[in-house]
Amino acid sequence: MTPFPDIADTLHWPRVHTIGVDGMLVCFSDRLDEAANRAALAFRKALEDADLQGVLETSTSLASVYLRFDLRMTDHAAMRAALDALLHEDDWYMATLPTGRTLWHVPAVFGTELAPQLDEAAAMAGLSPDQAISALCAEPLRVQAIGFAPGQPYLGQLPPEWDIPRQTGLTPQVPEGALAVAIRQMVLFSVSTPTGWRHVGQTALPLFRPDQPEPFTLRPGDDVQFVAVTREEFENIRRNDTLGGATSQMAD
Amino acid sequence: MRKIYVHRAGPGVTVQDLGREGWLSQGLSRGGAADRLALAEGAALLHQPTELAALEIAGSFLNLEVSAPVRIALTGAPMRAVCDGAPLVWNASHALPGGARLELSGSEGGYSYVHFGGGIDAPVMLGARSAHLAAKLGRMLVAQDSLALGPDSGSRTGMTFTPLPRFNGGLLRLVETPQTRLFSPEQRSRFTQTAFRKDARANRMGQRLVCPSEGFGADTGLSILSETIVPGDVQITGDGAPFVLLSECQTTGGYPRIGTVLPCDLPRLVQAPAHADLHFAFVSMEDAIALERAEADRRDGLGRALRPLIRNLHDIPDLLAYQLVSGVTRGDELEGCKP
């Protein structure tokens, strides 16, 4: 294999890149794409089931699968050949969603001083604040990946008018449970953090509870439907409900 | 149960092991000791598994007391180590009697480690004992904390070794990332010709580097798709300065990465003092793999590279109390810190 495939020279998807010395990345797209996201989730499942010698860990991001392997148990050529064989076993872009997915209903306050960038983000999407709230709560959003911080979902995909860039500057701090938007996605923050995404909503959903038997609330492939509540309703939920008022049911 | 009691702890003292695998897909990075080599060195000195947990001191200080006789080893960034008034040699194993107080100070930065025979028996959280500060798993130690130790099946102390040189900066070798060629050849060339220094702002998530000239950048805009990140990735953030991701890094990110530092060179980065120059050089994947495998073999052979600790006679406060046979000591009989 070519150790450093020049991405500009590679015309076909999926593509396999090296990541560090002991990792590979199987990319199904360089854009956010429903089919590529399903492909990534299904391919990772197949990779786990294949139980290849020397593989230490696998994960998915929005449109790709990462694997890390033990250089003393396998080598790049063997790993690349195994990945190519597995890629040829199926049309991964036609894969169905994983089974056992959960549909979550999550209360959120949009706007107010709790989520001060709703008006700005709505304007960038060409919508009034009320239209924006309706749009963000219109349909369930898919947990396309979990990443950056523990349990933190990338949710999508929003309609094209939400293809708004990140801010050039960073918001110094958004609180845990903040719901922020950019590039047709929402992120629900699991920890308080600086961000370039615009803070449009606030939830009380805990995403990472290490002391619980199930420490991570959401899984890749789950659906999340936001339900707009008033500030008063939200404060009541935050005081009284350890799950932030969220309810869950089988998605399929 | 044998315990250690913390009397004083500066910031950044945590329990660390090799970290937790298997949670990347849930957004939790592996974490673990900033200098993983130092864990292997401590394990070799105490002849016990590398998986056992030790204390990591991130450039501060620590005073502790042991409840019972324990074996310890000191590795990583050298500190001044004193046990009940007697100096202890760094990069060595020692026997401490019950009730002994160990004082560690004088760090010049970097990460120092205290290993205990049997390891620290802190609670296992998601498969590891490591504190993962970014994920709010575990926390920094403070005065009044006490930690249990695991059962120690070993007995040998008074051993030392010569550590891999990594405390003066130097060369960090890189492999390419899928984004490396988003940086122009001129940018890449200038990157490898620049002498960087560590920024004072650093934590277990990453190390920002200070760039003496103008910053670096790739033409990717603000809408690049967030993609998998691994420790060693050199991310170029908005201000053009390189930011090297470390053990507690985020799992995905949207900034382009100009290269990935080899795992075997990361100890040289985390242990570099503030005034030391750091350089980057790209190596081929074939060379990188060979370097990694060679270092893994060397690490496995650390136990065979140990030698008895011969103390400088001037450092022994009560020389006449020792029975010296032909003027030569085996080393370990001098190791009780209360002679």
Side-chain angles (χ1 to χ4, degrees):
Chain A
M1 76 179 255
T2 310
F4 309 130
D6 188 332
I7 55 175
D9 294 342
T10 315
L11 295 171
H12 301 289
W13 299 97
R15 297 170 187 172
V16 180
H17 301 287
T18 57
I19 296 283
V21 185
D22 59 356
M24 285 190 188
L25 190 72
V26 182
C27 293
F28 290 93
S29 175
D30 58 357
R31 285 172 299 129
L32 185 56
D33 176 299
E34 161 75 18
N37 183 242
R38 277 188 281 106
L41 293 175
F43 188 74
R44 178 188 176 221
K45 171 81 166 54
L47 189 57
E48 290 272 313
D49 291 347
D51 197 19
L52 300 177
Q53 163 134 1
V55 172
L56 297 171
E57 180 154 23
T58 69
S59 65
T60 54
S61 39
L62 293 166
S64 50
V65 176
Y66 168 71
L67 70 156
R68 186 168 64 86
F69 47 90
D70 185 340
L71 283 171
R72 301 169 99 191
M73 291 177 69
T74 184
D75 59 32
H76 280 231
M79 201 46 66
R80 180 66 187 253
L83 289 177
D84 285 343
L86 205 52
L87 282 169
H88 280 101
E89 270 183 21
D90 216 330
D91 182 352
W92 299 100
Y93 295 97
M94 299 298 287
T96 53
L97 283 165
T99 54
R101 298 183 311 117
T102 302
L103 167 62
W104 292 87
H105 285 87
V106 178
V109 180
F110 290 88
T112 79
E113 59 267 46
L114 291 181
Q117 291 176 295
L118 174 71
D119 293 3
E120 180 187 335
M124 293 184 77
L127 302 172
S128 72
D130 283 345
Q131 286 171 326
I133 296 172
S134 301
L136 297 175
C137 296
E139 288 181 49
L141 296 171
R142 174 80 31 77
V143 178
Q144 294 172 310
I146 294 203
F148 193 81
Q152 183 165 301
Y154 291 81
L155 299 158
Q157 185 175 29
L158 293 168
E161 60 269 27
W162 289 99
D163 194 7
I164 63 178
R166 299 177 180 91
Q167 321 176 115
T168 44
L170 289 182
T171 304
Q173 206 75 359
V174 294
E176 186 181 335
L179 190 54
V181 66
I183 54 171
R184 296 183 67 183
Q185 286 181 300
M186 306 256 269
V187 167
L188 183 47
F189 285 99
S190 70
V191 291
S192 175
T193 183
T195 182
W197 296 46
R198 287 178 175 84
H199 184 190
V200 296
Q202 183 63 43
T203 76
L205 180 67
L207 295 163
F208 179 46
R209 294 178 295 164
D211 51 343
Q212 298 290 311
E214 293 278 345
F216 299 97
T217 306
L218 303 177
R219 276 164 214 294
D222 281 355
D223 284 330
V224 178
Q225 167 90 61
F226 291 105
V227 181
V229 296
T230 64
R231 173 93 191 252
E232 291 67 36
E233 288 170 314
F234 178 75
E235 296 296 354
N236 191 37
I237 287 167
R238 181 144 70 175
R239 269 195 305 277
N240 298 316
D241 190 330
T242 54
L243 250 190
T247 58
S248 63
Q249 63 194 77
M250 294 299 286
D252 299 309
Chain B
M1 186 190 292
R2 298 176 313 143
K3 285 192 163 193
I4 53 178
Y5 302 104
V6 177
H7 287 300
R8 286 177 72 220
V13 179
T14 55
V15 174
Q16 291 299 333
D17 55 19
L18 292 171
R20 39 186 76 69
E21 295 183 346
W23 304 102
L24 269 189
S25 62
Q26 297 288 354
L28 177 60
S29 54
R30 194 172 6 151
D35 181 354
R36 298 165 75 83
L37 173 57
L39 276 192
E41 292 169 342
L45 280 167
L46 295 176
H47 195 60
Q48 62 187 12
T50 313
E51 286 71 25
L52 295 181
L55 292 181
E56 178 179 278
I57 305 163
S60 64
F61 58 88
L62 176 66
N63 289 2
L64 58 82
E65 182 179 332
V66 299
S67 72
V70 297
R71 299 188 301 141
I72 66 162
L74 304 167
T75 67
M79 296 179 78
R80 187 164 56 248
V82 176
C83 178
D84 291 342
L88 296 181
V89 177
W90 203 260
N91 290 312
S93 56
H94 306 276
L96 307 193
R101 282 181 77 142
L102 177 66
E103 299 179 17
L104 302 170
S105 61
S107 172
E108 294 184 1
Y111 293 86
S112 311
Y113 295 84
V114 192
H115 314 259
F116 297 87
I120 294 172
D121 189 18
V124 175
M125 304 168 289
L126 282 81
R129 295 185 167 87
S130 280
H132 192 307
L133 300 176
K136 297 201 173 89
L137 275 174
R139 58 168 173 81
M140 295 183 192
L141 297 185
V142 295
Q144 314 299 329
D145 278 341
S146 72
L147 293 165
L149 299 179
D152 184 7
S153 56
S155 60
R156 191 168 69 168
T157 56
M159 301 301 285
T160 187
F161 70 106
T162 303
L164 187 77
R166 58 183 189 281
F167 304 100
N168 284 301
L171 188 64
L172 305 174
R173 292 162 294 191
L174 302 160
V175 288
E176 293 196 10
T177 75
Q179 298 103 36
T180 296
R181 293 176 192 213
L182 298 176
F183 295 85
S184 69
E186 292 71 29
Q187 291 263 335
R188 280 180 269 155
S189 161
R190 190 162 63 80
F191 181 71
T192 55
Q193 287 161 12
T194 300
F196 295 97
R197 294 219 170 145
K198 282 163 84 164
D199 190 294
R201 287 168 287 172
N203 56 33
R204 295 174 36 78
M205 295 175 75
Q207 173 67 58
R208 189 177 180 277
L209 299 181
V210 179
C211 194
S213 52
E214 66 170 304
F216 299 85
D219 185 22
T220 55
L222 295 165
S223 299
I224 188 175
L225 203 59
S226 287
E227 192 46 272
T228 300
I229 278 187
V230 296
D233 273 359
V234 185
Q235 176 176 268
I236 304 294
T237 47
D239 65 0
F243 188 89
V244 188
L245 279 308
L246 299 177
S247 134
E248 284 183 7
C249 64
Q250 69 225 44
T251 61
T252 58
Y255 290 112
R257 274 84 77 189
I258 196 167
T260 306
V261 179
L262 303 193
C264 64
D265 282 357
L266 278 179
R268 195 171 300 129
L269 169 69
V270 302
Q271 298 292 18
H275 55 80
D277 283 346
L278 292 163
H279 291 269
F280 291 99
F282 285 99
V283 295
S284 72
M285 185 59 79
E286 286 73 12
D287 288 351
I289 292 165
L291 287 164
E292 273 307 308
R293 286 180 173 151
E295 172 58 11
D297 288 343
R298 195 196 68 85
R299 210 161 47 222
D300 286 354
L302 281 173
R304 294 190 295 278
L306 300 181
R307 58 180 190 273
L309 181 64
I310 309 293
R311 281 194 174 177
N312 184 331
L313 296 185
H314 299 292
D315 291 343
I316 302 174
D318 191 11
L319 189 58
L320 293 178
Y322 292 99
Q323 191 131 25
L324 302 180
V325 181
S326 307
V328 175
T329 75
R330 203 175 71 237
D332 51 351
E333 70 269 38
L334 300 185
E335 276 316 298
C337 78
K338 282 178 176 168

